[in-house]
Structures are given as C-alpha cells and as structure tokens.
Amino acid sequence: MGFWWRPLSVLASVLLVALILWAASGWVAALGFLAGIQAFVMLRRLWQEFRLARWLENPDEVEPPDATGTWGDIFYRLQKLQRRQKASRGRLTSALEQFEHAAMAVPDGMVILNGSEQIDWCNPASRRYLGLDCERDRGQFVRYLLRQAHFLEFLDAADYSRRLVCKSPVNREITLSLQLVPFDESKKLLVARDITDLERVDEMRRDFIANVSHELRTPLTVVGGFVETLAGAPDLPAADSRHYFDLMLDHTRRMQHLLDDLLTLSRLESADHLLHDEPVNVPEMAHALKAEAESLSRGRHSVRLEIDSAAWLAGNLQEIRSALGNLVSNAVRYTPEGGAITLAWRERDGEGEFSVTDTGEGIAAEHIPRLTERFYRVDRSRSRETGGTGLGLAIVKHVLTRHGARLDIQSTPGKGSTFSAVFPAQRVQPPPTPESGKLIPFPEREQATG
Ligand code: ADP
C-alpha cells in the first residue's frame, strides 16, 4: 500500500488543481495545465528510464540512480534486490570454491564422468593414482585413457556396489580400490583409494596364519601318529614306547614353546607403551644369563662374561630378561660344539650395550635385515632341530623398540655373530646406593645359578 499511496496522492492533487483551474479560468486553462503536467511526467519518465537502463547494464560499476517519489521507491527496491542477489552470489561462489579446494585436497583420486564416460573434472590425486590430468584430459573418454581389461569390464558392469582392487597404472607398487558412484541423471564419480598398506597388513595376516598353522601341523601330525601307533600296538616293547613317549614330549614342548612365544608377541603388540618402568640390575641379570647359557650348552661351549659397567637400565625387567635371554639362547643353538660365547655389558657414548658374541656359523649379509621378521629363518631345519620357533628375534625387536633401543647385528659367515641390544642414554642409570633405593628382586637368580 505504501508504494501506491504516493502516485495516487499526486494524481489526486493534479486533478484537484485541474478542477480548481477549470472552475476559476475555464476548461482551456485546466486542459493546458494537464498537458503541461503530462509533458513533465513523460520527460521525467524518459530520463529515469535512461538512468535505470544505464545502471542495469552494468550495476557493479555504475552508481545506482537515485530519485525522489515513485522512481526513488523503484530504484531503492531494485538496489535492495540487487544487493541481496550479489550477497547470495558471493556466498554461492565461496561455497563452490571451498568445495573445489576440499575436492582438490582429498587424498583419494576423484574423477567426474559425464553420461558418455568423458572426463568432466578430476582432482590432483587422480594424476598420482591414475595418471590423469584435469587440464589435458577434460573431455576425453575415460576408457581410452585407462585401457586395462579389468577396468573396462568394471566400467561395463556398472555394478555400483562392487569395488575393483587393482594395481595403479602409473605405479605398480600402489594397490588401488576403485569405486563408481552414480549421481545426477547419468553422471558417475570414479573414486580411486590407495589401499597398499591395508593390503600389506592383510597379506602379513594371511602369511602369519599360514605360518602358525604350518608350525603346529608338523608336531601335531607326529604326536597324532605316535598316539595311533601306541594305541594300535599295546604289546610294544617298553624301550620302543619309551622312545615314542620321549618324541611326543619333545614335540609337545615345541608346540608349547611356540604358543608361549606367540602369546608374548601378542602381549607386546597389544600395549604400545611399557607397563612397568623400573630400575633393572643389568650386571646381575648378565650373571644369570651366563648361567643360563651354560645350562643350555651343557658343557659344549665356553661361556665368558665381560662386565665393564655397573650401570642399570630403566625398563621392564621381564621384557628385557626375555629379549636378552633369546639372544643368549640363539648363540648357544647356532654355535657348534667347542665354540665360544661371550656376554658383555658396557657403556658406549652414554648408551648401554648388552652384546652376545658367538663363534658360530654366522649369517650371510642378505639375511640380516630380515632376521627380525616373524618366522624368518636362514636354515629352517636347523632352527627346528634346535627347538627354535622363528619368533625369538621378532620378540627381541619388539621389546627393544618399546624401550627406544635398537638391535645391531654383525656377522661373518663361518666365523660368528655379535647381536647387540643398544639402549639409549636416558635409560642408562647409575646403580642405586643403599640409601637411594631398594635392590630389584631377580626371580631367576636362584634357579639359574643353582
Ligand atoms: P629361531 O627360533 O629360528 O632361532 P629367531 O627369530 O631367534 O628364530 O632367529 C631367526 C633366525 O636368525 C634363525 O632361524 C637363525 O637362522 C638366525 N640366527 C639367529 N641368531 C643367530 C646366531 N647367533 N647365529 C646364527 N644365526 C642366527
């Protein structure tokens, strides 16, 4: 109503004046007055239309017209409309820009295909995974650029619930999972995700299960075979059945040992950080380990101990004991009779180094980087003969990693090896004085030395 009020009141005023003029001076004066007003209105209208047209042609650069009265109202409303549109255009542009930036930053390769499977758009990751270039390949048919048979088959199947797992056409080291997502009427989004790490973990899991099953199958088959033999021949001579029982016990112990190592590994893997961080009396532990080596060797090797440092370690007693025990047991098992084994504890540049040196068979250089992998063995049958599970050094590596320590391996085939557990300076600490702290109980000491 506000808008109409002004023109109506002007019209009413003009008519009123025309009527007064008619009454006062006759109809010629009234008509003359009306013609004059008409001419003024027409000219004003032409002028305002011209200003409006000029502004509408370039509203961002030309100053908006201003006027009073009805034209002022019209201009004001148009300007308001234009400002609102400009603001919403700005919002839309910034949302679009944000979306584009986000799509560019997405780590997955993304390609938008139109209804004819031509590339409309793709992000930088699609260059890394699929070798596509948004500028160069826009408008190209995707099947001419990615021509692998399994990809074409995947495209033809148009089964949007399916994912295609394949090697990247630009880098065979990368495994991709491709997925097609339909949108709009006929468009499709091709998503390429790097699943190399997932595949690797999956492969490790499969290998691990295969290895464990394999390791358990042999002793289980042996034990099962003997049980059958014993059950089927109750009159077997006592010496024979004794022998079978010994072998069964041997294989049962092997399985037990394997399960113990598996549980240790799983415990180590399930907690990233150390459960107990306590002072560990390494010189005392070294004595116990020497006794353990002698007990395992049963006089077949000479075992020496060199303790050049009284330092202790801050760490987990049980874990360190188990890691160093594995190094000692390996030295005994892989050193032929008559060989020498030396255990040493020293400080080197502030680091604490516990090393086990043997004069055994040694290891060829190409095997060394893989020794800490689970079930990796240089000589499978030698490891089994000596009761190995293939998990010892994997446990050592885990324990040392949790302590921020490292395993150094020096070895010469035919001459021997040195395995050193090197602990960082911040874990090496002086032995506690009687006033400063209590001595750490060492449960194995009595048994090992006794
Ligand atoms: P295993 O139970 O087979 O001994 P480990 O993980 O302890 O498993 O060791 C992995 C492999 O490293 C062993 O199978 C063996 O081939 C090699 N190895 C470990 N310690 C020694 C050593 N002191 N001398 C020679 N070879 C060794």
PDB file of all heavy atoms in Angstrom, residues 44-70:
ATOM      1  N   ARG A  44      10.279  13.207 -17.497  1.00  0.00           N
ATOM      2  CA  ARG A  44      10.906  12.681 -16.273  1.00  0.00           C
ATOM      3  C   ARG A  44      11.033  11.151 -16.375  1.00  0.00           C
ATOM      4  O   ARG A  44      12.060  10.559 -16.020  1.00  0.00           O
ATOM      5  CB  ARG A  44      10.045  13.071 -15.069  1.00  0.00           C
ATOM      6  CG  ARG A  44      10.696  12.710 -13.758  1.00  0.00           C
ATOM      7  CD  ARG A  44      10.043  13.434 -12.623  1.00  0.00           C
ATOM      8  NE  ARG A  44      10.707  13.119 -11.383  1.00  0.00           N
ATOM      9  CZ  ARG A  44      10.296  12.190 -10.527  1.00  0.00           C
ATOM     10  NH1 ARG A  44       9.206  11.497 -10.779  1.00  0.00           N
ATOM     11  NH2 ARG A  44      10.981  11.942  -9.412  1.00  0.00           N
ATOM     12  N   ARG A  45       9.977  10.573 -16.924  1.00  0.00           N
ATOM     13  CA  ARG A  45       9.971   9.120 -17.048  1.00  0.00           C
ATOM     14  C   ARG A  45      11.067   8.642 -18.002  1.00  0.00           C
ATOM     15  O   ARG A  45      11.785   7.679 -17.724  1.00  0.00           O
ATOM     16  CB  ARG A  45       8.602   8.683 -17.556  1.00  0.00           C
ATOM     17  CG  ARG A  45       8.449   7.202 -17.585  1.00  0.00           C
ATOM     18  CD  ARG A  45       7.041   6.875 -17.862  1.00  0.00           C
ATOM     19  NE  ARG A  45       6.967   5.526 -18.326  1.00  0.00           N
ATOM     20  CZ  ARG A  45       5.851   4.955 -18.662  1.00  0.00           C
ATOM     21  NH1 ARG A  45       4.717   5.627 -18.612  1.00  0.00           N
ATOM     22  NH2 ARG A  45       5.847   3.716 -19.066  1.00  0.00           N
ATOM     23  N   LEU A  46      11.178   9.417 -19.150  1.00  0.00           N
ATOM     24  CA  LEU A  46      12.230   9.039 -20.117  1.00  0.00           C
ATOM     25  C   LEU A  46      13.604   9.112 -19.462  1.00  0.00           C
ATOM     26  O   LEU A  46      14.455   8.240 -19.634  1.00  0.00           O
ATOM     27  CB  LEU A  46      12.166   9.988 -21.316  1.00  0.00           C
ATOM     28  CG  LEU A  46      11.202   9.592 -22.420  1.00  0.00           C
ATOM     29  CD1 LEU A  46      11.150  10.674 -23.494  1.00  0.00           C
ATOM     30  CD2 LEU A  46      11.642   8.270 -23.057  1.00  0.00           C
ATOM     31  N   TRP A  47      13.817  10.176 -18.715  1.00  0.00           N
ATOM     32  CA  TRP A  47      15.109  10.396 -18.062  1.00  0.00           C
ATOM     33  C   TRP A  47      15.403   9.282 -17.052  1.00  0.00           C
ATOM     34  O   TRP A  47      16.487   8.685 -17.042  1.00  0.00           O
ATOM     35  CB  TRP A  47      15.087  11.785 -17.402  1.00  0.00           C
ATOM     36  CG  TRP A  47      16.238  12.058 -16.460  1.00  0.00           C
ATOM     37  CD1 TRP A  47      16.156  12.411 -15.157  1.00  0.00           C
ATOM     38  CD2 TRP A  47      17.642  12.003 -16.761  1.00  0.00           C
ATOM     39  NE1 TRP A  47      17.378  12.597 -14.605  1.00  0.00           N
ATOM     40  CE2 TRP A  47      18.349  12.330 -15.594  1.00  0.00           C
ATOM     41  CE3 TRP A  47      18.384  11.694 -17.917  1.00  0.00           C
ATOM     42  CZ2 TRP A  47      19.714  12.385 -15.527  1.00  0.00           C
ATOM     43  CZ3 TRP A  47      19.768  11.750 -17.822  1.00  0.00           C
ATOM     44  CH2 TRP A  47      20.417  12.078 -16.651  1.00  0.00           C
ATOM     45  N   GLN A  48      14.396   8.924 -16.251  1.00  0.00           N
ATOM     46  CA  GLN A  48      14.611   7.881 -15.240  1.00  0.00           C
ATOM     47  C   GLN A  48      14.811   6.520 -15.915  1.00  0.00           C
ATOM     48  O   GLN A  48      15.622   5.720 -15.455  1.00  0.00           O
ATOM     49  CB  GLN A  48      13.420   7.798 -14.259  1.00  0.00           C
ATOM     50  CG  GLN A  48      13.159   9.067 -13.473  1.00  0.00           C
ATOM     51  CD  GLN A  48      14.307   9.439 -12.528  1.00  0.00           C
ATOM     52  OE1 GLN A  48      15.452   9.055 -12.755  1.00  0.00           O
ATOM     53  NE2 GLN A  48      14.012  10.231 -11.513  1.00  0.00           N
ATOM     54  N   GLU A  49      14.086   6.295 -17.029  1.00  0.00           N
ATOM     55  CA  GLU A  49      14.262   5.010 -17.739  1.00  0.00           C
ATOM     56  C   GLU A  49      15.684   4.889 -18.289  1.00  0.00           C
ATOM     57  O   GLU A  49      16.307   3.828 -18.233  1.00  0.00           O
ATOM     58  CB  GLU A  49      13.252   4.884 -18.878  1.00  0.00           C
ATOM     59  CG  GLU A  49      11.898   4.389 -18.399  1.00  0.00           C
ATOM     60  CD  GLU A  49      10.860   4.372 -19.506  1.00  0.00           C
ATOM     61  OE1 GLU A  49      11.203   4.687 -20.661  1.00  0.00           O
ATOM     62  OE2 GLU A  49       9.707   4.058 -19.199  1.00  0.00           O
ATOM     63  N   PHE A  50      16.167   6.036 -18.786  1.00  0.00           N
ATOM     64  CA  PHE A  50      17.530   6.043 -19.323  1.00  0.00           C
ATOM     65  C   PHE A  50      18.538   5.714 -18.206  1.00  0.00           C
ATOM     66  O   PHE A  50      19.424   4.873 -18.359  1.00  0.00           O
ATOM     67  CB  PHE A  50      17.800   7.425 -19.951  1.00  0.00           C
ATOM     68  CG  PHE A  50      19.258   7.670 -20.193  1.00  0.00           C
ATOM     69  CD1 PHE A  50      19.921   7.043 -21.245  1.00  0.00           C
ATOM     70  CD2 PHE A  50      19.990   8.523 -19.351  1.00  0.00           C
ATOM     71  CE1 PHE A  50      21.276   7.268 -21.452  1.00  0.00           C
ATOM     72  CE2 PHE A  50      21.346   8.727 -19.552  1.00  0.00           C
ATOM     73  CZ  PHE A  50      21.976   8.097 -20.612  1.00  0.00           C
ATOM     74  N   ARG A  51      18.377   6.344 -17.034  1.00  0.00           N
ATOM     75  CA  ARG A  51      19.288   6.114 -15.914  1.00  0.00           C
ATOM     76  C   ARG A  51      19.202   4.654 -15.431  1.00  0.00           C
ATOM     77  O   ARG A  51      20.213   4.010 -15.151  1.00  0.00           O
ATOM     78  CB  ARG A  51      18.943   7.037 -14.755  1.00  0.00           C
ATOM     79  CG  ARG A  51      19.247   8.482 -15.063  1.00  0.00           C
ATOM     80  CD  ARG A  51      18.749   9.351 -13.945  1.00  0.00           C
ATOM     81  NE  ARG A  51      19.567   9.227 -12.758  1.00  0.00           N
ATOM     82  CZ  ARG A  51      19.184   9.587 -11.532  1.00  0.00           C
ATOM     83  NH1 ARG A  51      17.977  10.085 -11.365  1.00  0.00           N
ATOM     84  NH2 ARG A  51      19.973   9.457 -10.512  1.00  0.00           N
ATOM     85  N   LEU A  52      17.954   4.176 -15.440  1.00  0.00           N
ATOM     86  CA  LEU A  52      17.757   2.789 -14.988  1.00  0.00           C
ATOM     87  C   LEU A  52      18.441   1.806 -15.941  1.00  0.00           C
ATOM     88  O   LEU A  52      19.157   0.883 -15.517  1.00  0.00           O
ATOM     89  CB  LEU A  52      16.247   2.492 -14.918  1.00  0.00           C
ATOM     90  CG  LEU A  52      15.874   1.099 -14.432  1.00  0.00           C
ATOM     91  CD1 LEU A  52      16.346   0.891 -13.006  1.00  0.00           C
ATOM     92  CD2 LEU A  52      14.358   0.884 -14.495  1.00  0.00           C
ATOM     93  N   ALA A  53      18.240   2.059 -17.278  1.00  0.00           N
ATOM     94  CA  ALA A  53      18.837   1.161 -18.275  1.00  0.00           C
ATOM     95  C   ALA A  53      20.351   1.171 -18.153  1.00  0.00           C
ATOM     96  O   ALA A  53      21.012   0.124 -18.194  1.00  0.00           O
ATOM     97  CB  ALA A  53      18.391   1.583 -19.667  1.00  0.00           C
ATOM     98  N   ARG A  54      20.923   2.382 -17.947  1.00  0.00           N
ATOM     99  CA  ARG A  54      22.378   2.501 -17.849  1.00  0.00           C
ATOM    100  C   ARG A  54      22.901   1.744 -16.615  1.00  0.00           C
ATOM    101  O   ARG A  54      23.900   1.051 -16.659  1.00  0.00           O
ATOM    102  CB  ARG A  54      22.732   3.993 -17.734  1.00  0.00           C
ATOM    103  CG  ARG A  54      24.158   4.298 -18.148  1.00  0.00           C
ATOM    104  CD  ARG A  54      24.403   5.741 -18.072  1.00  0.00           C
ATOM    105  NE  ARG A  54      24.037   6.232 -16.753  1.00  0.00           N
ATOM    106  CZ  ARG A  54      24.299   7.451 -16.302  1.00  0.00           C
ATOM    107  NH1 ARG A  54      24.896   8.306 -17.079  1.00  0.00           N
ATOM    108  NH2 ARG A  54      23.936   7.834 -15.099  1.00  0.00           N
ATOM    109  N   TRP A  55      22.169   1.833 -15.550  1.00  0.00           N
ATOM    110  CA  TRP A  55      22.600   1.156 -14.316  1.00  0.00           C
ATOM    111  C   TRP A  55      22.454  -0.370 -14.438  1.00  0.00           C
ATOM    112  O   TRP A  55      23.344  -1.133 -14.067  1.00  0.00           O
ATOM    113  CB  TRP A  55      21.764   1.684 -13.138  1.00  0.00           C
ATOM    114  CG  TRP A  55      22.083   0.986 -11.854  1.00  0.00           C
ATOM    115  CD1 TRP A  55      23.273   0.969 -11.198  1.00  0.00           C
ATOM    116  CD2 TRP A  55      21.188   0.180 -11.077  1.00  0.00           C
ATOM    117  NE1 TRP A  55      23.198   0.219 -10.061  1.00  0.00           N
ATOM    118  CE2 TRP A  55      21.919  -0.276  -9.951  1.00  0.00           C
ATOM    119  CE3 TRP A  55      19.852  -0.184 -11.199  1.00  0.00           C
ATOM    120  CZ2 TRP A  55      21.351  -1.085  -8.970  1.00  0.00           C
ATOM    121  CZ3 TRP A  55      19.297  -0.981 -10.195  1.00  0.00           C
ATOM    122  CH2 TRP A  55      20.038  -1.433  -9.112  1.00  0.00           C
ATOM    123  N   LEU A  56      21.322  -0.792 -15.012  1.00  0.00           N
ATOM    124  CA  LEU A  56      21.093  -2.230 -15.130  1.00  0.00           C
ATOM    125  C   LEU A  56      22.114  -2.897 -16.041  1.00  0.00           C
ATOM    126  O   LEU A  56      22.445  -4.061 -15.876  1.00  0.00           O
ATOM    127  CB  LEU A  56      19.682  -2.515 -15.663  1.00  0.00           C
ATOM    128  CG  LEU A  56      18.550  -2.303 -14.655  1.00  0.00           C
ATOM    129  CD1 LEU A  56      17.203  -2.598 -15.297  1.00  0.00           C
ATOM    130  CD2 LEU A  56      18.731  -3.183 -13.424  1.00  0.00           C
ATOM    131  N   GLU A  57      22.589  -2.093 -17.006  1.00  0.00           N
ATOM    132  CA  GLU A  57      23.581  -2.655 -17.940  1.00  0.00           C
ATOM    133  C   GLU A  57      24.869  -3.037 -17.206  1.00  0.00           C
ATOM    134  O   GLU A  57      25.496  -4.027 -17.505  1.00  0.00           O
ATOM    135  CB  GLU A  57      23.901  -1.591 -19.002  1.00  0.00           C
ATOM    136  CG  GLU A  57      24.026  -2.186 -20.387  1.00  0.00           C
ATOM    137  CD  GLU A  57      23.985  -1.082 -21.418  1.00  0.00           C
ATOM    138  OE1 GLU A  57      24.949  -0.287 -21.462  1.00  0.00           O
ATOM    139  OE2 GLU A  57      22.983  -1.006 -22.145  1.00  0.00           O
ATOM    140  N   ASN A  58      25.229  -2.247 -16.218  1.00  0.00           N
ATOM    141  CA  ASN A  58      26.479  -2.510 -15.506  1.00  0.00           C
ATOM    142  C   ASN A  58      26.332  -2.157 -14.027  1.00  0.00           C
ATOM    143  O   ASN A  58      26.925  -1.199 -13.543  1.00  0.00           O
ATOM    144  CB  ASN A  58      27.574  -1.650 -16.160  1.00  0.00           C
ATOM    145  CG  ASN A  58      28.908  -2.343 -16.062  1.00  0.00           C
ATOM    146  OD1 ASN A  58      29.036  -3.296 -15.287  1.00  0.00           O
ATOM    147  ND2 ASN A  58      29.868  -1.873 -16.812  1.00  0.00           N
ATOM    148  N   PRO A  59      25.534  -2.921 -13.304  1.00  0.00           N
ATOM    149  CA  PRO A  59      25.178  -2.500 -11.938  1.00  0.00           C
ATOM    150  C   PRO A  59      26.365  -2.467 -10.974  1.00  0.00           C
ATOM    151  O   PRO A  59      26.316  -1.756  -9.983  1.00  0.00           O
ATOM    152  CB  PRO A  59      24.157  -3.559 -11.496  1.00  0.00           C
ATOM    153  CG  PRO A  59      24.333  -4.699 -12.411  1.00  0.00           C
ATOM    154  CD  PRO A  59      24.939  -4.198 -13.668  1.00  0.00           C
ATOM    155  N   ASP A  60      27.466  -3.253 -11.285  1.00  0.00           N
ATOM    156  CA  ASP A  60      28.588  -3.283 -10.343  1.00  0.00           C
ATOM    157  C   ASP A  60      29.458  -2.041 -10.461  1.00  0.00           C
ATOM    158  O   ASP A  60      30.169  -1.682  -9.533  1.00  0.00           O
ATOM    159  CB  ASP A  60      29.436  -4.545 -10.579  1.00  0.00           C
ATOM    160  CG  ASP A  60      28.679  -5.761 -10.081  1.00  0.00           C
ATOM    161  OD1 ASP A  60      27.824  -5.590  -9.197  1.00  0.00           O
ATOM    162  OD2 ASP A  60      28.915  -6.865 -10.610  1.00  0.00           O
ATOM    163  N   GLU A  61      29.431  -1.393 -11.659  1.00  0.00           N
ATOM    164  CA  GLU A  61      30.352  -0.269 -11.852  1.00  0.00           C
ATOM    165  C   GLU A  61      29.672   1.099 -11.856  1.00  0.00           C
ATOM    166  O   GLU A  61      30.252   2.081 -11.397  1.00  0.00           O
ATOM    167  CB  GLU A  61      31.137  -0.479 -13.162  1.00  0.00           C
ATOM    168  CG  GLU A  61      32.306  -1.422 -12.894  1.00  0.00           C
ATOM    169  CD  GLU A  61      32.918  -2.013 -14.130  1.00  0.00           C
ATOM    170  OE1 GLU A  61      32.903  -1.336 -15.169  1.00  0.00           O
ATOM    171  OE2 GLU A  61      33.379  -3.166 -14.036  1.00  0.00           O
ATOM    172  N   VAL A  62      28.448   1.156 -12.394  1.00  0.00           N
ATOM    173  CA  VAL A  62      27.758   2.450 -12.471  1.00  0.00           C
ATOM    174  C   VAL A  62      27.056   2.725 -11.147  1.00  0.00           C
ATOM    175  O   VAL A  62      26.509   1.810 -10.530  1.00  0.00           O
ATOM    176  CB  VAL A  62      26.738   2.426 -13.649  1.00  0.00           C
ATOM    177  CG1 VAL A  62      25.898   3.691 -13.655  1.00  0.00           C
ATOM    178  CG2 VAL A  62      27.465   2.227 -14.952  1.00  0.00           C
ATOM    179  N   GLU A  63      27.158   3.959 -10.697  1.00  0.00           N
ATOM    180  CA  GLU A  63      26.475   4.365  -9.453  1.00  0.00           C
ATOM    181  C   GLU A  63      24.975   4.137  -9.596  1.00  0.00           C
ATOM    182  O   GLU A  63      24.392   4.483 -10.631  1.00  0.00           O
ATOM    183  CB  GLU A  63      26.709   5.861  -9.225  1.00  0.00           C
ATOM    184  CG  GLU A  63      28.013   6.191  -8.543  1.00  0.00           C
ATOM    185  CD  GLU A  63      28.024   5.722  -7.110  1.00  0.00           C
ATOM    186  OE1 GLU A  63      27.189   6.202  -6.337  1.00  0.00           O
ATOM    187  OE2 GLU A  63      28.842   4.821  -6.783  1.00  0.00           O
ATOM    188  N   PRO A  64      24.308   3.564  -8.623  1.00  0.00           N
ATOM    189  CA  PRO A  64      22.866   3.362  -8.747  1.00  0.00           C
ATOM    190  C   PRO A  64      22.147   4.730  -8.798  1.00  0.00           C
ATOM    191  O   PRO A  64      22.548   5.668  -8.104  1.00  0.00           O
ATOM    192  CB  PRO A  64      22.496   2.595  -7.488  1.00  0.00           C
ATOM    193  CG  PRO A  64      23.631   2.802  -6.564  1.00  0.00           C
ATOM    194  CD  PRO A  64      24.830   3.104  -7.356  1.00  0.00           C
ATOM    195  N   PRO A  65      21.109   4.849  -9.652  1.00  0.00           N
ATOM    196  CA  PRO A  65      20.400   6.145  -9.743  1.00  0.00           C
ATOM    197  C   PRO A  65      19.645   6.411  -8.448  1.00  0.00           C
ATOM    198  O   PRO A  65      19.249   5.478  -7.769  1.00  0.00           O
ATOM    199  CB  PRO A  65      19.436   5.927 -10.905  1.00  0.00           C
ATOM    200  CG  PRO A  65      19.266   4.463 -10.998  1.00  0.00           C
ATOM    201  CD  PRO A  65      20.490   3.821 -10.478  1.00  0.00           C
ATOM    202  N   ASP A  66      19.518   7.683  -8.137  1.00  0.00           N
ATOM    203  CA  ASP A  66      18.637   7.969  -7.000  1.00  0.00           C
ATOM    204  C   ASP A  66      17.635   9.027  -7.422  1.00  0.00           C
ATOM    205  O   ASP A  66      17.890   9.831  -8.317  1.00  0.00           O
ATOM    206  CB  ASP A  66      19.446   8.331  -5.756  1.00  0.00           C
ATOM    207  CG  ASP A  66      20.038   9.692  -5.859  1.00  0.00           C
ATOM    208  OD1 ASP A  66      19.258  10.629  -5.923  1.00  0.00           O
ATOM    209  OD2 ASP A  66      21.287   9.803  -5.883  1.00  0.00           O
ATOM    210  N   ALA A  67      16.500   8.954  -6.846  1.00  0.00           N
ATOM    211  CA  ALA A  67      15.440   9.888  -7.214  1.00  0.00           C
ATOM    212  C   ALA A  67      14.477   9.976  -6.055  1.00  0.00           C
ATOM    213  O   ALA A  67      14.568   9.213  -5.094  1.00  0.00           O
ATOM    214  CB  ALA A  67      14.723   9.373  -8.467  1.00  0.00           C
ATOM    215  N   THR A  68      13.570  10.907  -6.156  1.00  0.00           N
ATOM    216  CA  THR A  68      12.559  11.006  -5.108  1.00  0.00           C
ATOM    217  C   THR A  68      11.257  10.446  -5.663  1.00  0.00           C
ATOM    218  O   THR A  68      11.167  10.092  -6.836  1.00  0.00           O
ATOM    219  CB  THR A  68      12.359  12.486  -4.703  1.00  0.00           C
ATOM    220  OG1 THR A  68      12.109  13.204  -5.906  1.00  0.00           O
ATOM    221  CG2 THR A  68      13.556  13.031  -3.970  1.00  0.00           C
ATOM    222  N   GLY A  69      10.315  10.319  -4.820  1.00  0.00           N
ATOM    223  CA  GLY A  69       8.983   9.904  -5.246  1.00  0.00           C
ATOM    224  C   GLY A  69       8.946   8.453  -5.666  1.00  0.00           C
ATOM    225  O   GLY A  69       9.726   7.620  -5.195  1.00  0.00           O
ATOM    226  N   THR A  70       8.048   8.155  -6.608  1.00  0.00           N
ATOM    227  CA  THR A  70       7.831   6.777  -7.029  1.00  0.00           C
ATOM    228  C   THR A  70       9.086   6.175  -7.613  1.00  0.00           C
ATOM    229  O   THR A  70       9.436   5.028  -7.343  1.00  0.00           O
ATOM    230  CB  THR A  70       6.712   6.745  -8.088  1.00  0.00           C
ATOM    231  OG1 THR A  70       5.662   7.545  -7.632  1.00  0.00           O
ATOM    232  CG2 THR A  70       6.243   5.334  -8.332  1.00  0.00           C
TER     233      THR A  70
END
